[in-house]
Amino acid sequence: MNTLLSSVLLAIFAMAAAPGALATSVNGRASNFSSTCTKISFNSANNSLTATCELSGNTGTETTTIPLNACVGNDNGELAAGSNFSTSCGNISFSGVTLSATCENPTGNLIHTSIDLNSVLSNNNGVLHCGV
Ligand SMILES: *[C@@H]1O[C@H](CO)[C@@H](O)[C@H](O)[C@H]1NC(C)=O
Ligand SMILES: *[C@@H]1O[C@H](CO)[C@@H](O)[C@H](O)[C@H]1NC(C)=O
Ligand SMILES: *[C@@H]1O[C@H](CO)[C@@H](O)[C@H](O)[C@H]1NC(C)=O
Ligand SMILES: *[C@@H]1O[C@H](CO)[C@@H](O)[C@H](O)[C@H]1NC(C)=O
């Protein structure tokens, strides 16, 4: 009898705990794309980024690709929000969520620079977008 009661109580506690655990995995974090996107990959052939991102309301995911030249520019030798960074930057690499490159500044000097793509990209209901 006591064993049966314990089992029932354990089952009730387990059911009560589950919704709380699920609730913490959803949205309200969309401005930081890396917190709601997975499989983030960089294609060096065309400087594009592909990621699988959560839809609003935890209704699934979508995989999209965005050309980083639409979101990232060369601002006086530093990677920054803007466009067409690849026309004046070389040695382009990607790690985690950080894009790195060697960019030319207005006086012709080459500067090694990096940018956290969370500062220029967002997850807009599953779709990668420029801007945060
Ligand atoms: C983005 O979210 C990740 C994971 O939650 C966190 O580690 C990182 O610090 C955040 N970055 C910014 C710029 O908010
Ligand atoms: C860039 O390359 C990837 C992988 O080959 C492809 O999916 C994507 O459509 C290409 N173009 C752009 C603009 O991202
Ligand atoms: C970026 O490059 C595209 C394609 O070459 C061009 O149409 C656009 O005007 C450029 N934008 C800027 C801000 O230079
Ligand atoms: C090229 O990039 C790598 C890795 O980001 C860096 O260590 C190296 O200094 C860069 N080379 C030049 C010439 O800027």
Side-chain angles (χ1 to χ4, degrees):
M1 210 43 172
N2 277 343
T3 307
L4 178 63
L5 184 61
S6 298
S7 300
V8 170
L9 287 174
L10 274 175
I12 289 169
F13 283 129
M15 286 162 74
L22 289 173
T24 59
S25 71
V26 194
N27 305 314
R29 297 169 282 131
S31 68
N32 181 346
F33 90 100
S34 74
S35 66
T36 52
C37 299
T38 58
K39 298 180 188 163
I40 299 167
S41 67
F42 176 68
N43 187 308
S44 58
N46 60 16
N47 295 311
S48 66
L49 195 81
T50 298
T52 299
C53 299
E54 291 176 29
L55 299 170
S56 304
N58 202 19
T59 52
T61 60
E62 189 166 338
T63 298
T64 60
T65 298
I66 193 167
L68 291 182
N69 272 325
C71 313
V72 182
N74 171 2
D75 181 11
N76 290 316
E78 302 280 348
L79 292 173
S83 58
N84 297 345
F85 78 99
S86 76
T87 59
S88 55
C89 300
N91 190 31
I92 298 164
S93 65
F94 179 78
S95 176
V97 286
T98 302
L99 181 73
S100 299
T102 303
C103 299
E104 196 176 335
N105 74 6
T107 58
N109 292 322
L110 296 176
I111 298 174
H112 191 63
T113 166
S114 295
I115 189 169
D116 180 344
L117 292 180
N118 277 316
S119 67
V120 291
L121 282 178
S122 57
N123 167 10
N124 189 337
N125 195 21
V127 179
L128 289 172
H129 266 266
C130 295
V132 291

